[in-house]
Every structure is written in C-alpha cells, then in structure tokens.
Amino acid sequence: MSPKSIAVINFKGGVGKTTVTWSLGNIISQGTDLEVLMLDLDPQMSLTEAIGLNENTGHLDDKFGKWYEKSLKHRLTIYDALEVFKKAGQNFKFPVGFDTIYQIDEQLHFVPSVEELYWLDIDGFDGKSVKDFIRRFIGKIANSANLPKYDLMLFDCSPSFSLLTYSVLSCCDLILIPVNPDYFGSRGLSLVLNSLQKRIEPYPFPKIAVFMNKAKTYGGLLTNEVQFYMREVKRLCDEISKDNNIEVRFLESTIRESVGLKRAINEGELPRELVREFEKLWRECEEYLK
Amino acid sequence: MSKKEILAASEQESGGLVEEIGELKEILRDVARKLTRLETQVKRGVIYAGSKTSDIPRGADVNKPANLSAANVLEVYEELRLQAKNGNEEEVRQKLLAMSATDLNLMCCELGMPPSSKNPSRKKMFELIIGRIKQSLRLSRHIDRQTL
C-alpha cells in the first residue's frame, strides 16, 4: 500500500507549520505502530535546524551533524535528487537510502532541507520540470528494498508557492493548513485557498483540512476572539467548498498557544498539555483521509 | 475765589467723576453678563449642532441587565453581517442604534473585543461592531484581475 501524504502549508509565515509537522510526526510515531517520514521542503530549514541543532552549544548535534555533512558531501540530499531528476526526467535514477534519510528514532525518519533550495527558481528549474519530482521521489522511497515501508509522509512546506510546494500539492493526499486566530492569519487562508484552486494539478483536487493553531485560552477555555475567528474560518471553508466543489473541512481540533512548543523539538518531547490536542488532530486527519 | 471755594469745587468734580466711573463700571458689568450669556448660548448651540451630525445617543449605561443572551447576540451579529454583505449598511446602522448599551457591550465581548473602559460610549461599541463586520466581509474578498 502506498504511503499517505500530508502537506502542511500556509503561505503566511509564522503560523506554526514546522512545529505542527514535527509534533504530528512525533505523536504518530510514538503513539501508533505507523512508520513516519518527515520531509523539510522549506529552504529556511527550520525543521532541519530544530532537529539537528543542539541548543546548548548552538552547533549541529554530533550525530546529525556528521550524517548531514556526509549527505551533502556525497550529493545525496533532496536537492541533488532534484538536479538528477531535472536532467534525467523519466529515466530518473537516484539511490534513495539512509544517506538521504536520517533516522531520528525507530519509527520516525527525516529528509532534511538544504540551502540550495533557495535558488531553485533562478537555477533553471521550471514548473513543468519539477511538478512530478515529489511523486517520483516518494515513489522511489516507497519501492526501495533498503527502506522501511512508510505509512505516512509529512511535508513541511515553505511559506510561498515555490516549485517544490507546487510539486507536493500535485500529488499529496491531504493539504493541512494551520491558521492563527487573527485577521492576517485568517486572511492568509482565504488567499491560499484561492490560489490553490487556480494552481493545483492534476485534478481531482486533494482534500484540504484547516485547523486553528496557537489559540489563546483564558481559564482553560478558548477566548471569545479565538472563537470569533474560528467561526469566520469555518464559514470561509464552507463557502469555498460550496462555491468551487472542492473538499475543505474545518477541523474541530484546536492547538492552543504554548511557549514550550518550539523548545520541544530540540528536547524531543511535546509539552504534556499538547499531546492530547495533537492526538485529536491526528485522529481527525486520519478519519478524513479514509 | 478763596482757597476753600477752590477745594470744594475740585472735591465736587472728583465726586462726580467717581460717580461716572461707577456708572461706567456697572454698564461694563452688564455688557460682560450679556456677553457671558451669549457665549454660553453659542457653546450650547455648537454642541447641539454637533450632536445632530451623530445620532448615536450619548452616555451608555452598560450595567443595566442585557436583553439578549450571548447566543442571541451572535445570531443578531450574523443577521447584521448578512445585511452588510448584501449592501444594506443603513439597516445595519439602524439596528445597532436601536440596541441597548448593555446588548452592544455584550456583543462586543462575544466578538472578542471587550471595550477597554468600564463604561464605554455607545459610539465606541458601535464602531467596534461595525469594524468586526467589515473585517469579516474582507476576509473572503478577492480582486479578480479578469473582471476589472
């Protein structure tokens, strides 16, 4: 069975894409028997840095640092795979293995980002040549005898409609959009849905799920402001689904604002109060993917 | 004229002058009173004219019990939003004007914008609610270059 793929996306920066990707990967790999692969497609490398950086020394963690240098040196990163794909097209051959995929733990593996992804747009890559890249790349991973049979792939996308984002959106099963409870956060959703409608190929359109992230609480309850934006975002999802005949679902799961969440990636453990919220989010995504 | 006569004449003259000065002072006081009265009337007139440009009643007692429940105000807000969406802005305005200060205050709170002061003006609450409605309508607005 081919793995399910979820792209975490929002063209607005700072909504929490990286922490959501990591938290879901963490929760699913620790709480289920699923094999999870996370892929960092953002040239800002936030997820890569968060996983590899040792907060105490400010340098890459020894184990990850050595592995990453080796992967760069032997040209086995995702960017190198993309370069090969661009030249070879249909005859794409790339040795995907544990030199391209880093093992965080037994059930959670990771394809890091590289700085060169910044230059994709001006390095002679174009939409057509990149569009099928992710489909072919994950196909190679799924068919590799040297790798586990991943059940789920989680993509941390860049906050723009980059070539790689385009490639992921063209083949993923679910687009997961975190939004924040403020005007610009909610407006970002409206803009992203509007442009997705125009750009995603091929049809049928992937399923889209939206949820509220960084929700403020007071006395354990969501504030009225958060609830106001939740109603607005839900209405937006319903209107877009109805007007454009696509599936946009507003999830009931809400992830509350937590100071400790960013640090959690370095420490490798989610704050206890957020575990249940991410578990609920995953259950809803899983149900929606069926 | 003897010295005595000269002194008596100058005393009489200065007494007359003092009297005249007193009369003039009384006239000036009267003028000042009239000016003050006029000034007050003019000020009142300006305020009255100003209040006519805004029909939002001044003074708001948000401590009176609310007529609507929290769920009700959200329903009312939704009605207002739809009316604004359909371009009936004047109706939205009139409905908000007809609501009590307590209900306006409750609506502001339910929309996540509790007024900053304990006794907010109706004007302030009115603006907050209109702001939320406009924000809601802007959220789903897109400019399609093809239709321009």
Side-chain angles (χ1 to χ4, degrees):
Chain A
M1 204 177 86
S2 61
K4 292 284 183 194
S5 52
I6 299 178
V8 182
I9 182 174
N10 191 329
F11 297 159
K12 187 183 179 302
V15 295
K17 293 181 287 293
T18 299
T19 44
V20 166
T21 308
W22 180 83
S23 302
L24 281 176
N26 195 271
I27 284 288
I28 299 163
S29 62
Q30 288 184 10
T32 70
D33 55 0
L34 300 180
E35 299 268 3
V36 184
L37 179 66
M38 292 190 298
L39 298 95
D40 185 3
L41 302 186
D42 185 356
Q44 286 189 46
M45 301 174 61
S46 303
L47 187 58
T48 304
E49 298 272 355
I51 285 171
L53 205 68
N54 184 318
E55 237 189 20
N56 297 324
T57 62
H59 295 102
L60 284 180
D61 169 71
D62 262 3
K63 183 185 159 211
F64 178 77
K66 281 177 186 162
W67 175 91
Y68 191 59
E69 276 176 24
K70 191 178 158 200
S71 182
L72 285 171
K73 191 177 167 189
H74 296 293
R75 306 193 69 80
L76 290 167
T77 69
I78 190 165
Y79 179 78
D80 301 308
L82 183 53
E83 275 204 320
V84 172
F85 178 78
K86 185 192 157 199
K87 286 175 194 155
Q90 294 306 309
N91 299 316
F92 175 49
K93 283 179 187 162
F94 190 81
V96 285
F98 286 122
D99 290 323
T100 304
I101 297 170
Y102 178 70
Q103 300 174 79
I104 297 173
D105 59 39
E106 206 179 319
Q107 281 174 244
L108 184 61
H109 296 175
F110 177 53
V111 175
S113 175
V114 275
E115 280 181 50
E116 283 94 334
L117 292 180
Y118 262 126
W119 308 108
L120 273 190
D121 294 321
I122 53 170
D123 257 357
F125 289 91
D126 59 53
K128 273 189 182 172
S129 66
V130 174
K131 192 188 121 193
D132 285 329
F133 168 67
I134 292 292
R135 187 193 305 276
R136 297 290 305 275
F137 186 65
I138 60 177
K140 281 209 172 294
I141 292 173
N143 294 322
S144 170
N146 304 321
L147 293 169
K149 296 293 168 209
Y150 294 108
D151 302 288
L152 181 71
M153 297 198 180
L154 290 167
F155 296 91
D156 182 20
C157 298
S158 63
S160 64
F161 211 110
S162 69
L163 291 174
L164 272 184
T165 305
Y166 174 55
S167 182
V168 174
L169 296 179
S170 301
C171 67
C172 67
D173 297 297
L174 175 68
I175 297 173
L176 183 62
I177 308 177
V179 290
N180 295 162
D182 57 55
Y183 176 73
F184 297 107
S186 309
R187 178 72 178 143
L189 170 72
S190 172
L191 294 172
V192 78
L193 289 178
N194 194 44
S195 48
L196 287 182
Q197 273 167 244
K198 293 177 182 167
R199 301 285 177 191
I200 290 184
E201 287 178 65
Y203 294 100
F205 215 75
K207 289 176 176 174
I208 299 176
V210 180
F211 72 98
M212 196 57 81
N213 191 35
K214 297 188 184 177
K216 290 182 186 67
T217 54
Y218 184 76
L221 299 170
L222 297 174
T223 64
N224 283 342
E225 187 177 31
V226 170
Q227 292 184 48
F228 167 79
Y229 283 107
M230 283 175 74
R231 288 192 296 271
E232 292 297 325
V233 168
K234 185 176 186 315
R235 182 186 3 258
L236 213 57
C237 293
D238 292 344
E239 279 175 9
I240 290 172
S241 299
K242 196 176 149 197
D243 296 346
N244 303 284
N245 202 24
I246 54 173
E247 260 192 286
V248 185
R249 184 181 289 187
F250 182 69
L251 303 180
E252 283 178 16
S253 303
T254 302
I255 308 296
R256 76 181 91 164
E257 192 172 51
S258 166
V259 182
L261 188 51
K262 281 233 158 172
R263 289 178 62 91
I265 305 181
N266 292 109
E267 289 160 6
E269 197 174 8
L270 262 176
R272 201 178 298 165
E273 71 272 16
L274 291 181
V275 171
R276 278 191 188 168
E277 292 178 5
F278 276 105
E279 281 174 347
K280 190 180 170 197
L281 177 65
W282 165 237
R283 279 197 299 275
E284 271 197 275
C285 291
E286 198 180 19
E287 186 60 36
Y288 192 26
L289 274 167
K290 279 178 187 167
Chain B
M1 267 179 116
S2 67
K3 271 189 179 177
K4 271 190 178 177
E5 282 170 341
I6 292 167
L7 278 170
S10 61
E11 260 182 42
Q12 207 178 351
E13 202 176 333
S14 56
L17 283 171
V18 169
E19 219 169 282
E20 267 182 62
I21 289 168
E23 280 171 20
L24 277 171
K25 278 170 87 176
E26 189 55 40
I27 291 167
L28 286 173
R29 274 193 208 105
D30 194 36
V31 169
R33 271 197 297 272
K34 282 182 180 171
L35 281 171
T36 309
R37 209 162 42 235
L38 275 172
E39 188 186 27
T40 313
Q41 281 174 347
V42 168
K43 277 184 183 170
R44 279 183 191 154
V46 169
I47 292 166
Y48 180 65
S51 70
K52 265 191 138 179
T53 61
S54 165
D55 45 8
I56 302 167
R58 288 163 63 77
D61 189 354
V62 294
N63 300 317
K64 287 180 184 169
N67 298 320
L68 301 170
S69 67
N72 288 152
V73 289
L74 290 178
E75 281 170 22
V76 173
Y77 166 77
E78 184 54 26
E79 281 171 28
L80 297 174
R81 202 190 69 82
L82 285 173
Q83 281 181 324
K85 193 180 177 185
N86 296 328
N88 303 323
E89 283 168 22
E90 189 49 38
E91 277 180 44
V92 173
R93 205 178 134 75
Q94 291 306 325
K95 279 199 178 170
L96 283 174
L97 284 174
M99 284 172 70
S100 72
T102 322
D103 289 338
L104 287 176
N105 191 48
L106 181 61
M107 186 178 279
C108 286
C109 292
E110 287 303 314
L111 295 177
M113 311 166 298
S116 47
S117 68
K118 274 188 180 174
N119 203 13
S121 70
R122 289 178 61 93
K123 187 168 180 262
K124 180 74 189 164
M125 294 187 288
F126 184 90
E127 281 169 359
L128 286 172
I129 296 165
I130 292 283
R132 270 294 200 240
I133 292 173
K134 284 184 176 169
Q135 206 182 72
S136 170
L137 298 182
R138 273 203 307 272
L139 276 179
S140 53
R141 193 164 291 164
H142 293 283
I143 299 170
D144 189 351
R145 196 186 284 269
Q146 307 297 327
T147 61
L148 291 178

